[in-house]
Amino acid sequence: MTPAAISVEQRRRRRARRHHQGSHRREGRDARGGARALGPIHSTDPATPYLAIHARAEVSIDDVDAALYDEVSLRRFTTIRRTVFAMDAEVASAAFAAANSPIVETLRRQLIGWLDASDDVDGDAASFLAHVEAQVVAELRSGGPRSGAQLAEAIPDLAVRFEPKPGASYSRPQRITSKVLEILGTEMRIVRSRPTGADFTSGAWRWAAADPRWLDEVADVSPDAALVRLLVRYLDACAPATVTDMTWFTGTTKTRVRRALGELGAVEVELAEADEPGFVLTDDPWLDGREEPEPDSGATVALVPGLDPTTMAWKQRAWYVDDSAGVGVFDRNGNAGPTIWVDGSVVGVWTQRSDGEMVMEILDGVDVPDDRRVQIEEEAERIAGWLGDVRVNWRYPTPITKRLES
């Protein structure tokens, strides 16, 4: 028998449980476990992985530091959509093999083109760049983690400049340091190490040589096979999702997504109030007529950071945030700010002012019962206590967060 259409309420309930929101948050889950169910976690804002993991697990800042920099059970690098993500090793391998080769090729080709036009480079630009890359990796292997500035001091060739927009009035010559580090990091020959700033919100990185065994894990994995693996993990956390959602999330084409769905045998399901069907894995409980269980107790109340996977994992978002009420929840590029969730949908926005005060706003037209408001306040207090003296400055502020912080 064909299952009935999955309702919006049922989708919200599934997401709240699978993304460990509110009462689904568990003690005893470590940092890797807190991240595992979410898949790739945006890390272009350095604060996001910390707050996203803390929203799902009773972990300290030091615990997340250890997972990123000591145990390296979470890997942070540029991958799908040319975006920096943090993720566990299994997802990292799939994302890297599925997406990174064309990204690296584009980055390297672009820089070689700039170097070809630079007066600072004599001879073949590709050979020069390969030589510089080898110097950077050798320096990090022999000397340990270094900042970009320290590497530039040790390797004179990093002082070479290029003109990114020749002839444009706003263009200014740039050193190649950041571009070389971006290429090597995307190629996973080097990795981001502990930041140089005062705390985890700093985006000024030290870099370290990568463990070569990481590349061995994906040496024989084809991009298409890796995409299948990536979509398995995505659907495990986010199903039902549409082809539009998955194409946007992976940054690839609908043709590749549909081919991968066919390879893994994903099952098409009807979604209520949606313009296209969704897909679930073959072992999804919905196919056996089962629903996600209700929360163990109370409401699933959660405060998640800007760019959190729960807000960003779908292209089509109207089923969990009302388009009219949610004006200002996202910036003009679709990046989500910090949000308040109740029972699987966005009900408001929160942020932290420079003096540490936690401020919140419920969206216009959204009804939040008094008991849920109490839970929201309690969650805000918990986050403030966890942050202590740390002040979060969102890299992608939204209209609402800007207003609340003023």
Side-chain angles (χ1 to χ4, degrees):
M1 178 168 49
T2 303
I6 302 179
S7 71
V8 168
E9 181 182 353
Q10 288 161 334
R11 292 184 75 184
R12 290 173 176 175
R13 186 184 305 159
R14 289 167 62 96
R15 185 251 304 287
R17 185 174 186 84
R18 294 183 179 207
H19 282 206
H20 306 317
Q21 288 191 325
S23 59
H24 300 302
R25 188 175 182 271
R26 283 209 312 266
E27 294 184 8
R29 183 184 287 132
D30 62 11
R32 178 176 176 272
R36 182 172 173 77
L38 301 174
I41 302 174
H42 281 79
S43 192
T44 46
D45 188 328
T48 296
Y50 287 79
L51 286 158
I53 291 169
H54 176 247
R56 281 87 184 182
E58 290 287 354
V59 294
S60 67
I61 292 171
D62 287 343
D63 291 334
V64 184
D65 277 344
L68 284 169
Y69 306 123
D70 300 330
E71 307 153 8
V72 200
S73 56
L74 298 179
R75 300 177 185 174
R76 175 160 45 191
F77 61 99
T78 301
T79 183
I80 52 177
R81 305 201 310 275
R82 194 175 163 181
T83 299
V84 182
F85 287 93
M87 64 209 93
D88 70 35
E90 180 184 340
V91 179
S93 295
F96 179 87
N100 280 42
S101 287
I103 297 174
V104 171
E105 289 172 7
T106 298
L107 292 173
R108 185 170 280 126
R109 182 172 60 251
Q110 183 182 55
L111 183 53
I112 288 171
W114 284 327
L115 292 174
D116 271 332
S118 172
D119 293 335
D120 289 356
V121 177
D122 294 324
D124 181 63
S127 298
F128 170 80
L129 179 57
H131 177 63
V132 175
E133 292 173 351
Q135 289 183 81
V136 170
V137 175
E139 177 67 23
L140 293 175
R141 290 203 182 284
S142 63
R146 296 283 189 275
S147 67
Q150 290 170 326
L151 285 167
E153 184 176 346
I155 302 171
D157 283 339
L158 287 174
V160 163
R161 294 178 180 271
F162 67 93
E163 186 76 47
K165 296 286 185 180
S169 60
Y170 57 84
S171 183
R172 297 290 182 273
Q174 298 179 17
R175 290 190 176 189
I176 64 171
T177 305
S178 63
K179 296 296 183 182
V180 171
L181 295 177
E182 182 182 16
I183 291 170
L184 292 173
T186 306
E187 207 168 22
M188 215 184 288
R189 292 165 66 187
I190 66 175
V191 295
R192 290 167 176 81
S193 187
R194 292 182 184 273
T196 60
D199 55 52
F200 67 83
T201 66
S202 170
W205 306 106
R206 294 180 179 87
W207 293 85
D211 187 332
R213 291 174 296 182
W214 295 357
L215 291 179
D216 292 341
E217 296 171 4
V218 295
D220 299 320
V221 180
S222 73
D224 286 344
L227 181 62
V228 171
R229 287 168 47 190
L230 184 62
L231 287 181
V232 167
R233 286 295 302 272
Y234 173 80
L235 288 173
D236 189 52
C238 299
T242 67
V243 169
T244 297
D245 291 325
M246 288 180 273
T247 300
W248 173 83
F249 181 79
T250 58
T252 188
T253 65
K254 288 187 176 182
T255 298
R256 283 193 72 201
V257 166
R258 290 193 179 104
R259 186 165 58 238
L261 291 172
E263 286 290 326
L264 62 88
V267 180
E268 183 176 303
V269 294
E270 184 180 355
L271 303 179
E273 302 181 40
D275 295 332
E276 61 180 299
F279 287 85
V280 299
L281 297 174
T282 55
D283 61 352
D284 193 284
W286 181 258
L287 301 177
D288 298 326
R290 292 176 286 134
E291 293 186 35
E292 295 290 322
E294 295 284 357
D296 298 330
S297 62
T300 50
V301 171
L303 273 63
V304 302
L307 301 179
D308 187 85
T310 304
T311 327
M312 294 292 293
W314 294 266
K315 171 70 170 179
Q316 298 166 321
R317 298 164 177 170
W319 60 277
Y320 59 88
V321 55
D322 182 84
D323 285 339
S324 57
V327 172
V329 172
F330 302 92
D331 70 13
R332 62 184 180 181
N333 294 316
N335 296 308
T339 46
I340 303 169
W341 292 75
V342 174
D343 298 335
S345 64
V346 175
V347 302
V349 170
W350 69 276
T351 192
Q352 183 193 42
R353 288 181 174 155
S354 58
D355 62 359
E357 179 188 3
M358 298 285 284
V359 287
M360 294 167 286
E361 180 176 295
I362 301 301
L363 300 179
D364 290 341
V366 176
D367 180 32
V368 179
D370 290 343
D371 60 336
R372 302 297 196 253
R373 290 176 183 265
V374 170
Q375 290 176 302
I376 291 169
E377 292 286 350
E378 291 172 347
E379 182 66 5
E381 290 177 7
R382 190 181 69 83
I383 293 173
W386 188 79
L387 287 171
D389 294 332
V390 174
R391 298 291 176 263
V392 179
N393 183 24
W394 307 111
R395 298 301 176 89
Y396 300 92
T398 64
I400 296 179
T401 56
K402 289 178 181 178
R403 175 164 49 77
L404 289 177
E405 292 169 5
S406 62

